[in-house]
Every structure is written in structure tokens, then in C-alpha cells.
Amino acid sequence: MRKLALNDEILLKIEKPARYIGNEVNSVMKDPSKVDIRFAMCFPDVYEIGMSHLGIQILYDMFNRREDVWCERVYSPWFDLDQEMRKENIPLFALESQDPIKEFDFLGITIQYEMCYTNILQILDLSEIPLYSRDRDDSVPIVIGGGPCVTNPEPLADFFDLFYIGEGETVYGELFDAYKENQRNGGSRREFLEKAAEIEGIYVPAFYDVTYKEDGTIASFAPMNPHAKARIQKQVVRELTDTCYPQAPVVPFIKVTQDRVVLEIQRGCIRGCRFCQAGMLYRPTRERDVEILKQYAYRMLRSTGHEEISLSSLSSSDYSQLKELVTFLIHEFKEEGINICLPSLRIDAFSLEVMGKVQDVRKSSLTFAPEAGSQRMRDVINKGLTEEMILSGAGQAFEGGWNKVKLYFMLGLPTETEEDMKEIPRLADKIARRYYEIPKDKRNGKCQITTSTSFFIPKPFTPFQWAKMYTNDEYIARAAIVKHEFSEQLNRKSLKYHWHDAEVTVLEGVFARGDRKLSDVILEAYRLGCLFDSWTESFDNEKWMKAFENTGIDIGFYNLRERDVHEIFPWDFIDIGVTKDFLYQEWQKALQGETTPNCRMSCSGCGASRYKGGVCIESKN
Amino acid sequence: MKARIKFRKYGVMRFIGHLDVMRFFQKAMRRAGIPIAFTGGYSPHMIMSFAQPLGVGITSDGEYLDIELREAIDSEEAIRRLNEVMVEGIDVVDFCRIPDDKKSSGMTIVAAAEYRAVLLESAKSADITKPFPDSWQMKLEEFMKRENIVVLKSTKRSEKEVDIKPMIYQMCLKKDGICLFLAAGSEQNLKPDLVIGAFLKFINEEPNGVPFHYHRVDVYARQPEGTEHVCQSSKNIILEGKQHTFIPLSELKII
């Protein structure tokens, strides 16, 4: 029988022991004496969040297909267990073998959002791995980071041995082979890192020197080890259909956020919204073959027993075979009581028809993300959505029986004026008016238009990477303007308004575009007790402000400055395909309110075509 | 058509709570391709009910769930298919047809449950047991001779004093642990730790300082009146001078 790392007394005392015992359906067990590489794959948040992440399931499956690798999972222990582990000196362990992480060859951490940075330190700390990479010797695992946040890994540079930049499917094999060879030759940690640095897409932060100007911006950023490359090429899978996909993902015992089969139908987005980092990072847009997806859907539902399947992509409506796929899913699985989730669909006749088939119209709500209230602002962000399109979509939905609509907007976008802010409630009101145009006897009571705003955060590798942010007070003032304008609307009783907190926005802004100097703040915040910062109940802004104060780091430098065209950004050494020139050109067009066509309408020459895949070669076939 | 599934729960699976075991079986039905019936409506769900929830930490040899089938399936085949998709710590041991009527459902007929309580060296592990002190044999007899055994029973909302004596059908010391035969079901239900807690208090021990592990042996229904059902595993209990016969839920099947 399996032996657990935690004793019964602890397991019966903590919340949800199922988070820590492994043993789930489709989890992979191997004989540790028969593998060469033991890899601990970590999502630095609680189990229910980590288990919902598709990327880890893909890599878990891919690594475990190799006979010489055993990939296991590890997530952040929640506060209750964290405390027990420190009290009883229990080292952090992997779910499958329950063995300590410190005995592994690799600890891979996926970094999905900025507010998990203190959790990364908790993982290292509880694993008894020195926090700074420079303090690690040959006895501890190689700590590797991946995921969207490593497109600017600099705030975390001191804590990682290496970063994998880009999509995980391409060079892990090479990395593992290099590791095995180094082990066979009795090579040191440093020798392995030097070999790794020669692999495309692998960045070893310790091999680079950064110097700063007097104003705090970067003067130079260059490799100081002959094995390190001056520029790191982001990894991209050329043919998505040919990559492996988990046919039997792990099925958690407890309810997790994503408790369903997830079918990734495409990667990337053709739209080119200027605020969207994913839209630039995952270029070119690549589709998976619809016939293969049908097989996957069948096999995954069968192997997991899930009662729900969801399509995953940045913009499902742009998937060319959507109609065929959705029709297949409804036809094949609806009878078996399988729910079909269709997120990120544009509202049109087709999507309304299928949504009417897969969900209860009276109970469900429709979601629009106009992102900005005024047409001027939507042109600035290149949203490609007109008021007419929104109103006609809503109108069709209302006539189809829906009466609940959710709207998502951003505040604090570049060039935003008070008038732009006020257009948000006005648009919500126009949608409500459209509803009340339907004769009373044909509509379903009152409508409910729920509007949420979040504050815009400029991200690296977007046209808005030069933009400035605002202070906490300024954000709140903007939300107040919107709130006041809501109370002026005719249909105010049918309108609801929520806004997100601004404190987290400020911190996310700092880390999104931060540099190496920030590792001190992260460590200081962790020392002061910051953990699970993405959880409202545990986020403690006072401690964070204290951490900035104690380390003498100025938030204004990162957030309140409009960046100069000549400034060297901390992430400039990464080549994502899309060029800095293209991004700057887009920034200038944004300031003029000029739009750019999407990738299928015409190629704008962003640079991603060098990867020779997906939408970039569609028309040339 | 209805079927009753009997399963064992042991090992690390004792840390999986009742609601999650239900979810586990819902997914297992799909993986095994059991032709289970669904309710109608926009969000159809499986017709499945569990006889008696089991607390976290407790192991069991006799857990039950009833399901409704769309079409017949051979019992041996169903057991084989289900066990192919189980995890370590849950084994399906029986799958049998039961009467279709509501009053035969596991949830309705549960009347008693049998437990075994063993003394542990430490709360840290349920695997290392230790023998009972010699004095316990007599003390346990004294405990059971009492007119009433009043304990503080706390529910989610309130605490109240309850006499649990009438719900203890049997309690005796055996080689492999304290054997408990307790009232169970929707009308009255007694958890084994409450009985052991009362006993420890009776012998002046601090309940939290004496670690126990509990194991459910089986779940029982009353022998239907007017039937002459004889099975080896039935239990005859004298309550208030009258004999009552209890039989395991797995015995109430259509043969």
C-alpha cells in the first residue's frame, strides 16, 4: 500500500487532505530505480487551482511518455499544512511518490500570474532548496521556470537556475538528454547549466550581467559566459496537431476549478488587441485538426469519466472548424448527459443557436467583453468591435430568450478620458434599452446587465509596454466616475456594477515590467509573511508596502513612468518573433486611434511569420 | 431496474470524504461504461444514492450505493469493469439487482452498522495497534450495564444531551478490537467515536489522549417482517426483551 509523507494525525487535522495524498485516477506511478530523471512539476498555488491548468497536464503526459523520466506533481500547501510542515520539519513532497522534492533532479515551476511569486519562495523554502540559485550545490534539484510570466523572468532571475522561454513541447527532450549526459560524465551543476544555455529557448539568468543608468533604467544587458546566447528565441510548436496531448488526464478526487475535459482547439489569436499579451506571445495562430480533436474528446471523456467538456482557446469563434466540432460534440455526447461548455464565443446567430442547445437559456447569461466603452477607446486598443455589433448581438440574444448579460471592461487604458469612462455605463444602458424594445408579452421579465471593470496593466511584448500606469487613488477615482455615471442611466435598476481592487493591480504592474532589482522585494514580502497573494482573503497590501519601504524600491519607477522609445527593457533579450519595431508602430497607431486588421484579413508583418506556421502560411498553401 | 453496489474503502482513500466518493463513483460509472439511468431536464444527473455516509478517516468493508440502470448488465461483468477503473483503496465486491420500489432503497432501509474500534500506539498511524489494558473487559461490561449513557451530541447548529444507550445494540471486547453494533440510518444514527468517547470518559481517560481507529464492518437492514430469510451474516439482537434480526444490505437482493 502507498505510504504517505504526512501522518494520519496531520491529515485528519488539515482542510481537504485529498490535496496531498495523490492516488488519483490516471496519475502516473513508476519505479524510481528504473528512471534516470525525476521531475517535480509545480504549480505554485493550491491544488484546486494547480490541477485546473492544462499546460501541466500536457507536460506531465509528455514527460511520462519517456521511459527514463518520472514526472510527478506538487502544489502549494495551504496555510494549515504550511504551518504543520514547518513545526514538524516535514520537507515538501511530490504527490505520486510522496518523496521529498529535494531528492529530485528537476523542480519545474509554471508561472502563470505575478501574484504567485511569494508562493514560489514557499515551495523552495519548504523543499529545503536554497532560495537564491547562487547558493545551490549539486545536491539539490535544478529549478526551472516556465509559463507566460517568464516572458519577463527578470524579477525572479535570482531564484531560478534556468527558464524555459516559450511552448513546452519543443526542447525538453534535448534538455533531459543533456542532463543525462552530464550525469554520466560526472559533470557539475554549473557544467549542466552551461550545456543547457546552449539549447534554444533556455535562459540561464546567472550567465548575464546587467548594468543600470543613473535613472535606474538598464544601460546594458549581456551574457558574461561564453555558453550563453545574447538573444533567447521563444519556443513555438510549428504544427500543433502533431504534438502530444493528454488522452488520460489526471482526475482529482476533490472539486477543482476546471473539473472537466479541456480540449485545446487552437493556440494564438488572430485579433491583435493591443493590451493582450497572449495575443502577441502565441503568434502565429495555429489550429488543431478537427478530426483529431473529435477522437481526443471521445477518449478523454472515456478515460476520465468527466461529465463536462470545454473548448479552450483565446477566441473560439475564430477556429475555422468550430461548427463541425460543436455539432459533433452535441450530437455525440448530449444524450449521455455530458455538458458542453463553449467559452470565448462571439455572439452571433450560430453561437446563439448552439448555446440554446447546450444550456438553459433562462438561467445562463451571455458574456461580452467590449473592454472599452467608447468607440474611440476600442479603436485605441484595436478591439475590432463596434457598438452596432454589440447591440445587434445582444438584440439577437434577447430575442432568443436570454435576459442576463455580463459585460467586461478595462479602466486606465492609454489615452483614456473621462468621457471614455462614462461611455461604459452608457453602453450598458443602451443594451438594456435594446431589451425593453421587445414587447412586454414577448420578453422574460426584467433584464440584468452586470458590468465589471478591471484596471489595465501594461504587459511586456504588447504595443502598450511603453504605457504608464496610475496610482491606487487614481484608479479608485476612475471607478467612482463610472459608478456615478451608472446612477444617471435610465435603466439603472437593471444595471449592476462591480470593480476590482486596485492594490493588486499596482503590484502586478510592478512585477509584469520589473527588473532584477525586484527579487529583494519579493523575498522581503515573503519574510514579512506574504503568501497566496492572489487570494483576496490572504492578500495583505500593508505587508507589501512595507516590503517596498524596507528594500528602498520605488513603485513609481516601474508604474508611473511613460517609457522612452530608446529604453532597454528587462525582457528585450527574448525574441518572441513579433518585433519591437512592430510593437512600437502599433503603439504609435494606438495613440492616433488607428486600427490594424486581423491576421486573416491581411498580414501586418509583425515578425511571427519566421516561425512558418499556422495563419502565417494558411494563404500560401 | 435497480442495482446495489457494495465496495470496500481502505488505505489512503479513507481521507476522501463522502461527497468526493460520490463524485468519484459518478465518474467511475462513465469510465466503466455502466448503463446508468439519468434524470431528465437541462442538467441531467445520474440516479445514484448512497446508503450511509462514512466519516473521513474511517475504513470500511461494507459501503453501499444503489443505482438505476437503463438496461441490464451481468453482475460479474459490472464488477470486473468497475474494478478496472477503481483506484487503490476502493474495491467493488458486489453488484446485484434489488427491487425497484422506493422502500427497498439502501437509504431507506439502513437500520444498523457494525464497527470495529482498535486502539493505536499513536494518532500518527492507523497501522500500529496496541492491545487493550486487561481492566477494560470488566469496565466495558459495567459501562454497558448502565441505565442510560448521556452524551453531548453536537450538530452543525446546536449541542444537545442525548441518551445513546438505546442506540448501542451491542458493544463487546474482542481480540481484534471493540465490536460495536450501532443504530444507523435517517431516523437515528450513532457514530462509533461518540460511543468510545463516552466509554473513555466513563473510565476517566481523556478521549483525545487515547487514539483509536474505526473500521466499518458492514451496514444492515432489519429483516423484513414475515420473511424467513436466513443468511450466515445476519445478526440477532435482543432489544427490550424482543429479538430483532438484522441482515447486511447486500443480502437484500433479487436472486
Side-chain angles (χ1 to χ4, degrees), chain B residues 24-42:
Chain B
F24 171 80
F25 269 98
Q26 282 162 8
K27 293 183 197 284
M29 292 296 156
R30 293 187 188 276
R31 290 196 298 270
I34 302 295
I36 191 166
F38 286 85
T39 60
Y42 253 102

Side-chain angles (χ1 to χ4, degrees), chain B residues 129-183:
Chain B
T129 59
K130 71 177 185 190
F132 296 113
D134 292 337
S135 59
W136 280 24
Q137 179 72 45
M138 241 171 66
K139 283 179 178 163
L140 207 143
E141 281 167 25
E142 275 170 45
F143 177 69
M144 281 304 285
K145 274 185 197 136
R146 298 204 309 172
E147 273 290 293
N148 43 43
I149 301 170
V150 177
V151 300
L152 202 60
K153 207 174 172 180
S154 45
T155 63
K156 269 175 204 152
R157 276 184 220 108
S158 65
E159 282 190 333
K160 60 176 178 181
E161 288 201 327
V162 186
D163 178 13
I164 59 169
K165 182 75 205 301
M167 291 186 266
I168 307 175
Y169 297 160
Q170 208 175 55
M171 181 173 183
C172 57
L173 204 66
K174 286 189 177 169
K175 244 191 191 155
D176 58 347
I178 296 175
C179 177
L180 294 153
F181 199 72
L182 310 174

Side-chain angles (χ1 to χ4, degrees), chain A residues 8 23 259 306-307 336, chain B residues 14 23 27 30 88 124:
Chain A
D8 292 13
N23 199 44
D259 186 33
H306 281 312
E307 41 284 290
E336 294 176 38
Chain B
R14 70 186 186 280
R23 281 167 27 84
K27 293 183 197 284
R30 293 187 188 276
E88 183 184 295
K124 288 185 165 68

Side-chain angles (χ1 to χ4, degrees), chain A residues 41-42 71 114 132 146 212 222 263 290 301 362 394 433 587 621:
Chain A
M41 181 69 83
C42 172
C71 176
E114 290 81 9
Y132 284 113
Y212 299 93
L263 207 53
V290 70
L301 283 167
R362 282 160 307 166
R433 285 179 198 213
W587 173 228
N621 276 345

Side-chain angles (χ1 to χ4, degrees), chain A residues 45 47 72 142 157 164 176 184 247-248 285-286 293 305 315 317 364 367 397 460 496 521 542 569 580 620:
Chain A
D45 206 319
Y47 179 89
E72 306 181 41
I142 303 287
Y164 182 120
F176 290 155
R184 263 198 305 275
Q247 318 281 296
T285 306
R286 290 144 294 155
L293 286 175
S315 168
S317 293
S364 58
T367 304
K496 266 193 203 157
V521 188
E542 267 177 46
F569 294 143
K580 198 174 180 182
K620 296 177 183 105

Side-chain angles (χ1 to χ4, degrees), chain B residues 10-249:
Chain B
Y10 57 93
V12 305
M13 290 305 286
R14 70 186 186 280
F15 298 109
I16 305 297
H18 176 64
L19 289 175
D20 294 323
V21 170
M22 286 171 67
R23 281 167 27 84
F24 171 80
F25 269 98
Q26 282 162 8
K27 293 183 197 284
M29 292 296 156
R30 293 187 188 276
R31 290 196 298 270
I34 302 295
I36 191 166
F38 286 85
T39 60
Y42 253 102
S43 50
H45 55 265
M46 290 180 178
I47 304 178
M48 173 189 277
S49 70
F50 279 70
Q52 181 75 3
L54 186 72
V56 174
I58 306 179
T59 52
S60 175
D61 280 335
E63 292 304 291
Y64 294 93
L65 68 141
D66 294 350
I67 59 171
E68 191 161 319
L69 293 167
R70 291 194 304 264
E71 58 193 69
I73 178 167
D74 176 67
S75 289
E76 293 301 315
E77 170 75 7
I79 295 173
R80 188 184 62 76
R81 269 164 42 181
L82 281 166
N83 280 327
E84 268 172 16
V85 300
M86 290 292 119
V87 290
E88 183 184 295
I90 292 194
D91 298 339
V92 170
V93 293
D94 197 16
F95 186 104
C96 60
R97 221 184 129 186
I98 56 165
D100 282 342
D101 55 294
K102 268 224 163 78
K103 61 179 199 292
S104 298
S105 86
M107 223 151 52
T108 319
I109 58 174
V110 169
E114 184 184 355
Y115 296 92
R116 193 169 58 233
V118 291
L119 191 58
L120 300 177
E121 279 288 349
S122 141
K124 288 185 165 68
S125 169
D127 299 331
I128 308 160
T129 59
K130 71 177 185 190
F132 296 113
D134 292 337
S135 59
W136 280 24
Q137 179 72 45
M138 241 171 66
K139 283 179 178 163
L140 207 143
E141 281 167 25
E142 275 170 45
F143 177 69
M144 281 304 285
K145 274 185 197 136
R146 298 204 309 172
E147 273 290 293
N148 43 43
I149 301 170
V150 177
V151 300
L152 202 60
K153 207 174 172 180
S154 45
T155 63
K156 269 175 204 152
R157 276 184 220 108
S158 65
E159 282 190 333
K160 60 176 178 181
E161 288 201 327
V162 186
D163 178 13
I164 59 169
K165 182 75 205 301
M167 291 186 266
I168 307 175
Y169 297 160
Q170 208 175 55
M171 181 173 183
C172 57
L173 204 66
K174 286 189 177 169
K175 244 191 191 155
D176 58 347
I178 296 175
C179 177
L180 294 153
F181 199 72
L182 310 174
S186 48
E187 271 176 44
Q188 47 175 12
N189 191 48
L190 184 58
K191 289 180 180 167
D193 53 332
L194 208 62
V195 183
I196 297 295
F199 172 65
L200 291 172
K201 226 171 130 190
F202 176 71
I203 60 171
N204 291 320
E205 290 273 4
E206 167 54 41
N208 290 331
V210 187
F212 269 90
H213 172 69
Y214 301 95
H215 177 77
R216 183 136 87 191
V217 180
D218 215 333
V219 175
Y220 296 77
R222 281 175 198 278
Q223 165 126 358
E225 274 181 44
T227 57
E228 281 290 320
H229 196 95
V230 189
C231 77
Q232 278 186 336
S233 39
S234 65
K235 286 229 175 222
N236 292 316
I237 307 277
I238 311 285
L239 294 173
E240 292 162 1
K242 202 174 150 205
Q243 178 170 310
H244 295 257
T245 305
F246 294 90
I247 48 180
L249 292 195

Side-chain angles (χ1 to χ4, degrees), chain A residues 27 41 91 93 97 136 153 179 195 201 264 291 295 318 338 352 354 373 387 394 409 418 484 507 566 579 589 619:
Chain A
S27 58
M41 181 69 83
F93 54 91
S97 65
R136 293 175 197 148
Y179 181 80
K195 287 204 183 78
E264 188 196 32
E291 293 308 320
Q295 282 179 28
D318 293 325
I338 302 282
L352 289 171
V354 296
E387 184 171 302
F409 295 94
E418 196 165 320
H484 181 260
L507 288 178
H566 301 297
T579 61
K589 280 173 86 177
S619 52

